Structure formats: structure tokens, C-alpha cells
Amino acid sequence: VTDEVRYPEPQRHDVVVPADAVVADQAKQSVVNVSWLQVNQIAEGESLDSFALRVASDLMLSGPQASFYAPLLESKLGSGFSPGTGYASSRRETSFSVGLKGVAAEDVEKVEAAILATVDKVASEGFPRERVSAVLHQLELSAARVSSNFGIQTGMAVMSTWVHGGDALRPLRTAENAAKLERALDADPDSYWQGLLSRHLVGNTHRVTTVATADKGFDAKLERAEEGRVSAIEAGLSDAEKERIVEECVALKDAQEADADVELLPTLTMDVVPQLAQTYPSKHEKAAEDVPLQVDAQPTNGLTFFKIVFDLRGLPDRLISYLDLFTSWISELGTAQMDYRELSQAIKASTGGIRAEADFVPALSDVTTAC
């Protein structure tokens, strides 16, 4: 894979896409996306810029306190961020994209203007240090958390540089890169972000604006065009070429239906699988004010997961139907002391996330009630 040829000036592309028959507003089906090509991860392998831009992307896009939240989402110019929005570092050269879907045709220019104005504003003002620390906290938690697909995620992370001959382990050095970024901010607290974003966003001429417009007749037009191409190709084939194509199709069908040689697949044998799963007995203790506490020591890579159970048997019946709504919004409503932006920031700075759910279980002491 060769390096991209950088554009000397911003580009714009207008494309036509299929219309969505079930969209809420048929008049709002345009998609606007602005993208910048950024860091060459091979040529600039030792640079901190890629990691810092990943942090900047989170600061600009994630949560109600993000830079783009008010100008793009609260403004109701669109129904949500467009597909592909965010920082992409899985390729040889990274990119940053931001856009909206569900945009009215007359608002397309407003969306692009809002994106560029927000970029200029962020590049001028930078980010508060406490918000940067919160994002770094989240990245380190994410790197430490062992999930069911931890192995696959780790393997995919190293591919972005490894397949191009770069340092395979560099994308995994989250803690090391976070420390480097902290030192860079300590050394240049007033203009680090301004310099980074000016180089890779404001002053970056390799910028592409893509506007997708919905067409109700897109599928029919595509089908007609395909039929025309197939007819043209068929008309140019000799009898011998047609016969060869048929033979290749038959051979392909036979190969697909043939029994696979399972001996070629990597397998585990029973002698390498533990006969008994590791067990971790629970401990039952008392917390403050004699609240029952169950402690389960698990191999969580140093992370602590905390769950609180509230007894809702005293909740009035008229409120039961609102439980699902309440649990889904609990981290977005704010509190008596914090608005929803401040709460979101506090959660991000101190935890790996807070969520709630309603569970209905039998009360073992009384078969006629539930909690």
C-alpha cells in the first residue's frame, strides 16, 4: 500500500444514494460528512500526534460536553452523527471525519459551515485539562478491561501498523502514550492542542466534503444500468468464451459443495482444556450501616466492578411502567447539583461508566410478592 497523494486544496464530492422508505422525515435524507487525512503511521511512527488526535476526537465527539454536540446535535440540523464519524487509525494513514445524517437539502451548507466553524473554535481554544484527563482515564480503563473478545480486539489493534511494516506493539502502549501526552501538555499547556489541531485540521488541505443525496429511483436506475452492462458484455463474447464461463461456474459450484477437509483447521485437543473451571468463592460482609456486601475476587486486571441493588417493593404501581425509561436515562438527566453535561464529565473522569437496569425476581420469603 502506497502513501496517499495529498490534495493541495479541499475537495467536494456529491453522490446519490438510495432513499430510506422508513425514515421519520422523507424531506431529511441527505448526509454531510467532512474528512481529513492525517497521520502517516509508518513515516511518522515515533510521533505522538496519532494518539493525541485520538484523544482530541473523543473530546470533540463523545458525550453532551463534546465540542460538536451543541452545534450539530442540539441544533437539530440532523438526526445524528453520520456513519464513519470519528478518528480512524486502522489504516496506514489515519483520518478524522465528522458529519450528520438526516439533513434537509437546504441545510447541507449550514452543516458544513457549522463543522468548519467548530474546528476553528476548538483549534483556537484547545481543551480544558480536566476533560483531557477524563478521556485518558477512559482509554486506560478500556485497555485494561478484559472482555470476551479481548484477544480479537488486541489482534486487530496491532494490524494497523504491523501489516505495513511498522511497530506492531505501538497501538497497545496506551499507558505509555498517555504519560507522554501528559508531559507534552505540562511542557506546553497553553498551545499544545492549538498547534496539533492547526496542523491536522485547520491548515490541512487534504479535506474532503461528501454530500449524499437520496434518490427514490436509485435502485431501479442501478438495476437498469447493470442490465445494460451485462448485455453489452454478453454481446461481445464468443461462443467459446460463453462455454468457458459456464464450465467455470460449474467448477465453482462443485468446489463450494464439496466436503471440506476439517483436518486443515486449527483445533484444540481435550488434554489442553482444564477439566474443572476455576472457581472464586464469594465473601459476605457488612458495609457501612450494616448494609450487606458481597465481595467476589475475580481476575479483572486490577479493575473493580461495583453493583448496588435497590429494593423497589415500595414503588407505587403507577410508576412501575416508567422504570425502563428511568434506567435508560439515569446517566443523562443530571442531578440536583449537576446538569447533564457536568454529570457526564464526572462519570467519565472517575468511572468506566454507570448504567442501571430493572430486575424483577421472586421474593423467596413470600411467593405472592416480587422485588
Side-chain angles (χ1 to χ4, degrees):
V1 177
T2 59
D3 293 342
E4 293 288 339
V5 177
R6 301 284 173 137
Y7 293 136
E9 58 186 23
Q11 308 289 308
R12 179 186 172 109
H13 294 282
D14 292 276
V15 298
V16 179
V17 296
D20 189 342
V22 295
V23 71
D25 189 341
Q26 293 291 328
K28 293 184 176 182
Q29 295 205 54
S30 295
V31 180
V32 184
N33 187 277
V34 183
S35 303
W36 290 261
L37 188 66
Q38 297 187 319
V39 179
N40 187 315
Q41 298 191 91
I42 307 305
E44 304 170 64
E46 298 303 316
S47 172
L48 183 62
D49 284 8
S50 182
F51 181 81
L53 287 167
R54 179 183 172 191
V55 174
S57 174
D58 192 291
L59 291 164
M60 290 189 285
L61 296 169
S62 179
Q65 72 278 15
S67 308
F68 281 107
Y69 189 87
L72 294 187
L73 300 183
E74 286 190 345
S75 66
K76 304 299 183 183
L77 285 172
S79 60
F81 285 127
S82 61
T85 289
Y87 185 64
S89 58
S90 61
R91 296 179 288 275
R92 182 184 179 91
E93 295 178 77
T94 70
S95 62
F96 174 74
S97 299
V98 59
L100 280 181
K101 61 182 179 179
V103 178
E106 61 270 19
D107 289 335
V108 166
E109 301 302 329
K110 294 179 184 177
V111 172
E112 183 179 16
I115 291 172
L116 298 179
T118 303
V119 165
D120 287 340
K121 183 173 184 247
V122 173
S124 173
E125 298 176 357
F127 304 109
R129 187 64 179 268
E130 62 271 16
R131 288 192 58 213
V132 176
S133 297
V135 172
L136 293 177
H137 175 248
Q138 290 297 311
L139 290 175
E140 292 183 85
L141 283 179
S142 177
R145 184 169 186 174
V146 179
S147 60
S148 58
N149 58 349
F150 180 80
I152 294 176
Q153 287 181 330
T154 303
M156 294 301 296
V158 306
M159 295 295 286
S160 59
T161 49
W162 188 23
V163 297
H164 298 291
D167 180 4
L169 299 181
R170 184 166 59 84
L172 304 181
R173 299 190 181 104
T174 302
E176 179 183 328
N177 287 326
K180 286 182 179 179
L181 181 57
E182 292 276 18
R183 291 195 294 270
L185 292 171
D186 290 338
D188 188 10
D190 298 324
S191 59
Y192 177 83
W193 292 113
Q194 289 84 338
L196 180 80
L197 299 179
S198 293
R199 290 195 306 275
H200 292 288
L201 289 176
V202 177
N204 184 355
T205 58
H206 195 109
R207 185 182 83 220
V208 178
T209 299
T210 304
V211 178
T213 305
D215 180 3
K216 293 181 179 179
F218 180 88
D219 291 331
K221 293 176 183 176
L222 183 65
E223 187 174 344
R224 288 196 298 270
E226 184 176 352
E227 289 174 351
R229 287 195 297 271
V230 171
S231 297
I233 293 172
E234 184 180 6
L237 294 174
S238 65
D239 290 341
E241 289 172 325
K242 293 178 182 179
E243 184 176 345
R244 178 175 57 81
I245 291 174
V246 171
E247 291 173 352
E248 290 177 350
C249 289
V250 171
L252 175 62
K253 184 174 182 296
D254 291 341
Q256 291 173 333
E257 295 178 351
D259 293 334
D261 185 0
V262 296
E263 296 300 325
L264 298 176
L265 300 175
T267 57
L268 290 175
T269 56
M270 291 302 297
D271 60 308
V272 300
V273 179
Q275 295 299 306
L276 294 174
Q278 174 112 26
T279 58
Y280 301 91
S282 298
K283 296 180 180 179
H284 295 275
E285 304 174 359
K286 293 287 186 180
E289 299 182 6
D290 286 335
V291 174
L293 174 66
Q294 177 176 317
V295 180
D296 297 283
Q298 299 281 337
T300 59
N301 212 12
L303 301 183
T304 299
F305 296 86
F306 186 61
K307 182 177 182 179
I308 306 175
V309 179
F310 294 97
D311 187 343
L312 300 179
R313 280 177 291 185
L315 189 70
D317 290 345
R318 62 185 175 81
L319 298 179
I320 296 294
S321 59
Y322 297 103
L323 265 179
D324 284 340
L325 289 176
F326 178 72
T327 56
S328 63
W329 293 343
I330 193 169
S331 62
E332 302 175 15
L333 293 174
T335 68
Q337 288 79 34
M338 299 180 183
D339 64 24
Y340 68 99
R341 286 191 176 91
E342 292 170 333
L343 177 61
S344 176
Q345 179 63 23
I347 290 173
K348 201 168 189 176
S350 306
T351 76
I354 294 176
R355 67 182 180 88
E357 60 184 6
D359 285 336
F360 295 87
V361 295
L364 299 181
S365 59
D366 186 349
V367 295
T368 65
T369 63
C371 60

